[in-house]
């Protein structure tokens, strides 16, 4: 049976846990989403935007010097960082804004952590002539000031969120409150494989081009499938996008890399799959970080895009059935991963992406024979220069 | 028959409408919450909704968000609220429903939550982020314990959904008067009347209206069509304004009386 089931469940995870005001809209959205999957005109338009506007297909680049450095790993990088706006996020926002148009919505809202999803949403909204409001934690607006300027230049209204931890989870609360109040004309573009059904499956679908292309490209270069596919996991959209095409290839090992922040043995991390409990946040049941009273804990990661106490429900499911493995990388390790890729390959990845790169050094020590790996290079690092600056040379 | 059902039955024979008051438990502290509940009963409140504070209350506006923060700040949790209800029960039989987001209940354990609620004298549970289709286990446990599970109907709810929701709800049906978070005052839209009547045609269960009900005039106009009126943010705002005031209970209760008088 293909998952999710018709109620949006991946095993015990997923579902629709939202105020009643949104339920009818989610039913409508699901119907429209199903209908566009087999609608040739929609698919043609979407694929045309992906190709002509966003820059798909992206390259699958053989990282020769990095591979030599890691000796046992032959590393291919799926270059989502080369897409328009600098990250994989644009794949999904183009798809969702097209759906919004089809549903007759005139106003787009989004939450953003690192600002990449906000920029990608503001971009798609500008492209299609729709008004756009982006909610962003006040703390994140400081960390990612460049992206705030980009969104504003694109015509979006960026609203600082000062409640709670002033990061991604609070931005999402605020976006949902806006959505409940303006459900008639407003479409909520969720940036990750999280939220209530049908968002996790819809975002996975729009991001699945990453894995489909990578699989085909790898087969044509290596005449076989890779041993490993690796991606960073915050909410988990780039990882789901890469993994989905490989889920039936049982011999391909899928590894998601969570943010361990200051370390998994501290309380300062963003690794719900490693250290969380099952719970409900932002519309779905999944692993999350909470207290014994069920209050949501504040996550920590140097990468704003991973700084979230929850994770997409399908990742919880893939972990539970053992199909994917989830590991973690600390802030410090991520920074050295970033430096490694910059100096071995001349590519500065986003801090989020640097978590996946950093894990390669651990993976290289784990394998006992020469192995091949595809890493999702989900975004570029320009946006992070301010946060990286204090660490350069240290 | 539990205390909520009994209350609505009694009101019906008297041809009266219910006044339902919401406060966040533990705002500013649980001792005050207990006094408020007892005061409300004297002031003519028919059912009390006690809010369980949650870190991420996404159906609530700024007023109740702030109250939740105050309550969490003094370490209010579900267990302490159960204890408070138990103490209230020694002195009052006013029907009490807990209003909580789902995660604290899920984490506490649904079966354990219901049995503890029963033990302490809680009569109903209202969970805004738990639609009936995700609530099968909770509904089963609650039904056995004769604890009401209140579900919501919103202005966006389709006729088909409404039928399912009113069938699943026990105690009463919570009609959300506008699309928005709690405490938004958009004014009571005319279209609501038709929708409330539609809900009432589908069920014998009481249909009560809440969200954005602020003034005595609001209370009066809603009571004409609904079986009960729910006021939350307007009361919580009074509590916020009386923080640190030794007359908090008296002032807030006096305000509540201006609303119950309308029924």
């Amino acid at each position: 049976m293909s998952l999710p089931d018709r109620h949006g469940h991946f095993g015990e995870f997923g579902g629709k846990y939202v105020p009643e005001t949104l339920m009818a809209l989610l039913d409508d959205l699901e119907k429209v989403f199903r209908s566009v999957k087999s609608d040739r005109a929609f698919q043609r338009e979407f694929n045309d935007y992906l190709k002509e506007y966003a820059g798909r297909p992206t390259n699958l680049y053989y990282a020769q010097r990095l591979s030599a450095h890691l000796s046992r790993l032959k590393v291919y990088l799926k270059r989502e960082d080369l897409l328009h706006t600098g990250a994989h996020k644009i794949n999904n926002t183009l798809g969702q804004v097209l759906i919004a148009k089809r549903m007759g919505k005139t106003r787009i809202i989004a939450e953003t952590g690192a600002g990449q999803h906000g920029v990608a949403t503001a971009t798609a909204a500008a492209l299609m002539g729709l008004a756009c409001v982006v909610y962003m934690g006040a703390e994140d607006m400081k960390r990612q000031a460049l992206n705030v300027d980009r969104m504003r230049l694109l015509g979006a209204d960026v609203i600082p969120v000062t409640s709670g931890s002033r990061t991604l989870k609070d931005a999402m609360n605020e976006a949902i409150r806006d959505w409940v109040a303006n459900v008639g004309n407003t479409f909520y573009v969720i940036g990750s494989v999280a939220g209530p059904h049908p968002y996790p499956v819809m975002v996975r679908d729009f991001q699945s081009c990453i894995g489909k292309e990578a699989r085909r490209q790898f087969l044509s270069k290596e005449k076989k499938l890779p041993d490993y596919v690796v991606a960073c996991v915050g909410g988990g959209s780039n990882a789901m996008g890469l993994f989905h095409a490989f889920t039936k290839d049982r011999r391909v090992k899928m590894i998601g890399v969570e943010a361990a922040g200051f370390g998994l043995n501290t309380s300062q991390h963003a690794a719900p799959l490693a250290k969380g409990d099952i719970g409900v946040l932002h519309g779905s049941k999944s692993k999350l970080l909470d207290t014994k009273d069920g209050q949501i804990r504040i996550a920590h990661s140097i990468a704003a895009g991973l700084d979230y106490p929850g994770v997409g429900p399908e990742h919880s499911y893939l972990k539970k059935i053992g199909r994917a493995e989830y590991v973690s990388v600390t802030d410090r390790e991520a920074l050295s991963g970033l430096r490694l890729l910059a100096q071995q390959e001349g590519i500065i990845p986003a801090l989020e992406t640097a978590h996946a790169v950093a894990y390669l050094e651990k993976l290289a020590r784990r394998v006992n024979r020469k192995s091949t790996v595809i890493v999702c290079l989900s975004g570029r690092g320009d946006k992070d220069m301010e946060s990286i600056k204090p660490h350069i040379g240290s | 028959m539990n205390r909520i059902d009994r209350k609505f039955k009694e009101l019906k024979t008297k041809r009266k409408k219910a006044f339902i008051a919401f406060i966040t438990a533990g705002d500013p502290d649980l001792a005050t919450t207990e006094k408020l509940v007892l005061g409300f009963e004297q002031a003519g409140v028919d059912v009390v909704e006690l809010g369980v504070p949650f870190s991420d209350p996404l159906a609530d506006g700024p007023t109740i968000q702030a109250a939740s923060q105050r309550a969490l700040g003094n370490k209010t949790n579900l267990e302490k609220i159960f204890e408070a209800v138990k103490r209230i029960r020694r002195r009052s039989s006013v029907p009490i429903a807990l209003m909580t987001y789902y995660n604290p209940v899920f984490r506490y354990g649904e079966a354990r939550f219901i049995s503890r609620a029963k033990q302490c004298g809680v009569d109903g549970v209202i969970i805004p982020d738990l639609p009936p289709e995700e609530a099968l286990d909770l509904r089963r446990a609650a039904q056995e314990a004769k604890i009401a599970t209140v579900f919501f109907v919103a202005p966006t709810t389709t006729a088909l959904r409404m039928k399912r929701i009113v069938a699943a709800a026990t105690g009463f049906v919570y009609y959300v008067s506008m699309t928005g978070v709690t405490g938004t005052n958009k004014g009571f839209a005319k279209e609501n009347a038709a929708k409330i009547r539609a809900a009432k045609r589908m069920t014998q269960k009481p249909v009560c209206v809440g969200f954005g009900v602020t003034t005595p005039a609001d209370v009066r106009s809603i009571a004409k069509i609904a079986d009960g009126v729910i006021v939350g943010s307007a009361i919580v705002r009074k509590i916020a304004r009386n923080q640190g005031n030794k007359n908090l209970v008296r002032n807030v209760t006096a305000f509540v009386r201006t609303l119950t008088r309308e029924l």
Side-chain angles (χ1 to χ4, degrees):
Chain A
M1 190 182 67
S2 86
L3 289 176
D5 68 14
R6 69 192 181 89
H7 300 291
H9 294 124
F10 301 88
E12 70 194 284
F13 305 106
K16 282 184 204 171
Y17 296 86
V18 293
E20 175 57 29
T21 306
L22 298 175
M23 290 298 284
L25 174 92
L26 290 174
D27 288 347
D28 281 351
L29 174 58
E30 191 180 347
K31 273 184 216 131
V32 174
F33 168 62
R34 277 215 197 116
S35 78
V36 302
K37 280 183 82 157
S38 54
D39 182 326
R40 280 210 198 130
F42 181 94
Q43 293 301 332
R44 197 180 313 122
E45 194 179 7
F46 177 50
N47 287 320
D48 204 50
Y49 275 125
L50 288 180
K51 178 167 173 254
E52 304 295 338
Y53 183 75
R56 299 214 75 90
T58 57
N59 299 332
L60 184 71
Y61 164 72
Y62 169 42
Q64 203 170 348
R65 285 196 70 224
L66 179 65
S67 300
H69 170 83
L70 296 167
S71 79
R72 279 190 180 153
L73 293 181
K74 187 169 187 186
V75 180
Y76 281 86
L77 304 175
K78 182 59 177 161
R79 297 293 307 274
E80 297 296 298
D81 61 320
L82 294 179
L83 286 173
H84 179 44
T85 71
H88 72 291
K89 296 288 185 188
I90 191 80
N91 301 326
N92 169 50
T93 61
L94 287 170
Q96 285 197 47
V97 174
L98 276 172
I99 285 192
K101 269 184 79 173
R102 181 157 292 218
M103 292 176 82
K105 306 292 181 186
T106 53
R107 180 174 174 268
I108 298 295
I109 59 170
E111 84 295 336
T112 197
Q116 289 303 101
H117 173 60
V119 167
T121 305
T123 299
L127 174 68
M128 300 184 206
L130 298 177
C132 179
V133 173
V134 179
Y135 289 92
M136 188 168 188
E139 190 57 38
D140 290 338
M141 285 177 75
K142 254 189 285 171
R143 288 197 272 190
Q144 310 282 341
L146 180 67
N147 273 343
V148 175
D149 292 337
R150 290 168 80 195
M151 287 183 272
R152 288 187 170 146
L153 191 58
L154 289 161
D157 193 1
V158 183
I159 301 184
V161 175
T162 53
S163 57
S165 62
R166 305 168 159 227
T167 62
L168 181 54
K169 101 178 155 74
D170 309 283
M172 200 151 173
N173 290 338
E174 220 45 63
I176 293 173
R177 288 179 188 125
D178 179 317
W179 193 25
V180 171
N182 301 293
V183 64
N185 68 350
T186 297
F187 189 96
Y188 181 18
V189 175
I190 294 182
S192 197
V193 284
H197 179 64
Y199 281 94
V201 61
M202 181 167 68
V203 177
R204 180 188 80 190
D205 252 49
F206 288 140
Q207 293 292 2
S208 62
C209 51
I210 301 173
K212 277 185 211 154
E213 282 173 17
R215 191 175 182 280
R216 193 175 62 233
Q217 291 163 323
F218 192 91
L219 276 171
S220 109
K221 285 174 200 275
E222 293 280 333
K223 317 290 175 222
K224 59 176 185 176
L225 288 171
D227 296 306
Y228 294 92
V229 292
V230 177
C232 66
V233 177
S237 71
N238 90 84
M240 229 31 258
L242 177 64
F243 291 176
H244 190 58
F246 293 97
T247 43
K248 287 188 185 135
D249 302 319
R250 292 285 154 185
R251 283 167 50 197
V252 177
K253 297 181 193 75
M254 313 196 300
I255 301 179
V257 185
E258 290 190 290
F262 293 142
L264 288 187
N265 51 357
T266 71
S267 60
Q268 304 273 298
H269 61 75
L273 288 166
K275 303 289 276 189
D277 304 291
I278 300 173
V280 170
L281 176 66
H282 296 148
S284 59
K285 190 181 279 181
S286 191
K287 295 289 281 278
L288 55 78
L289 301 176
D290 64 352
T291 68
K292 65 175 179 23
D293 289 336
Q295 307 296 342
I296 307 305
R297 275 171 45 198
I298 293 169
H300 164 79
S301 169
I302 191 172
L306 304 182
D307 202 346
Y308 181 66
V311 64
E314 193 167 5
H315 286 295
S316 293
Y317 176 74
L318 290 175
K319 177 181 159 98
K320 180 159 183 187
I321 63 166
R323 179 61 191 95
E325 180 189 357
Y326 294 87
V327 298
S328 64
V329 152
T330 64
D331 287 352
R332 189 190 296 252
E333 289 165 338
L335 281 165
S336 70
L338 188 142
R339 197 177 290 113
L340 176 72
L341 194 66
Q343 294 174 4
Q344 294 293 328
E345 294 291 342
I347 298 169
I348 301 173
L351 271 172
E352 291 77 12
T353 314
H355 285 71
V357 175
Y359 182 70
L360 294 177
E361 298 210 78
K362 294 185 182 182
L363 183 62
R365 287 195 293 272
R366 237 175 78 174
V367 298
N368 46 23
R369 59 175 178 86
K370 186 93 181 168
S371 303
T372 54
V373 53
I374 297 175
V375 179
C376 186
L377 212 69
S378 54
R380 67 176 187 224
D382 312 42
K383 68 177 179 68
D384 293 314
M385 290 316 293
E386 280 300 316
S387 358
I388 298 167
K389 239 186 232 169
H391 306 280
I392 292 177
S394 66
Chain B
M1 194 181 270
N2 83 9
R3 275 177 285 254
I4 294 175
D5 296 329
R6 213 151 48 217
K7 174 59 84 175
F8 276 105
K9 200 176 163 203
E10 173 197 320
L11 289 167
K12 199 171 181 183
T13 50
K14 290 188 196 161
R15 295 176 175 275
K16 290 197 68 173
K17 301 299 172 78
F19 186 90
I20 302 175
F22 169 95
I23 52 173
T24 300
D27 169 32
D29 53 61
L30 280 170
T32 308
T33 300
E34 290 170 39
K35 286 183 202 146
L36 284 169
V37 173
L38 298 173
F40 284 4
E41 188 182 22
Q42 297 303 313
V45 169
D46 298 300
V47 179
V48 177
E49 277 182 25
L50 279 184
V52 177
F54 181 51
S55 53
D56 295 75
L58 51 77
D60 286 303
T63 305
I64 293 176
Q65 285 176 46
S68 304
Q69 282 307 312
R70 289 193 293 272
L72 289 174
N74 61 43
K75 299 196 161 50
T76 306
N77 63 17
L78 209 40
E79 194 50 51
K80 289 181 189 169
I81 295 169
F82 282 137
E83 291 294 331
V85 174
K86 212 162 137 187
R87 284 191 295 273
I88 292 168
R89 277 285 166 260
R90 291 189 202 126
R91 301 172 61 187
S92 163
S93 59
V94 66
I96 295 176
L98 293 189
M99 179 144 178
T100 170
Y101 287 85
Y102 185 48
N103 199 54
V105 174
F106 182 79
R107 188 69 200 263
Y108 194 90
E110 288 173 307
R112 181 171 163 238
F113 170 81
I114 291 294
S115 85
R116 187 83 178 115
K118 178 83 187 162
Q119 212 175 52
C120 298
V122 170
D123 307 296
V125 44
I126 309 173
I127 308 181
D129 61 347
L130 186 69
E133 48 266 65
E134 299 285 3
L136 297 179
D137 291 344
L138 188 82
R139 280 161 61 191
R140 205 170 299 127
Q143 195 173 12
E144 243 168 70
K146 294 198 170 53
I147 286 183
T149 47
V150 174
F151 290 107
F152 294 81
V153 170
T156 50
T157 303
T158 58
L160 186 69
R161 275 194 68 78
M162 197 191 279
K163 200 171 272 178
R164 274 190 253 146
I165 293 165
V166 300
T170 53
F172 62 93
V173 174
Y174 193 132
Y175 183 85
V176 179
S177 69
M178 44 87 191
T179 53
V181 291
T182 56
T184 317
N185 203 340
K186 285 187 175 175
F188 187 70
K190 288 265 186 303
E191 306 84 84
N192 279 324
K195 207 110 196 197
I196 293 164
R197 289 202 184 93
K200 285 177 60 104
R201 272 196 301 275
M202 281 183 193
T203 180
Q204 298 290 313
K205 294 165 192 170
V207 176
C208 303
V209 175
F211 275 47
V213 185
T214 308
T215 63
D218 293 340
V219 172
R220 216 163 34 236
S221 67
I222 290 168
K224 282 184 195 141
I225 31 177
D227 300 304
V229 183
I230 306 163
V231 180
S233 296
I235 300 172
V236 173
R237 203 172 299 127
K238 276 277 178 255
I239 295 174
R241 288 200 188 128
N242 279 278
Q243 296 285 313
N245 184 338
K246 63 177 174 13
N247 294 323
L248 183 149
V249 174
R250 203 174 67 197
N251 295 346
V252 174
T253 308
F255 170 70
V256 167
R257 209 179 295 261
T258 66
L259 301 173
T260 57
R261 238 189 349 232
E262 299 297 328
L263 297 179

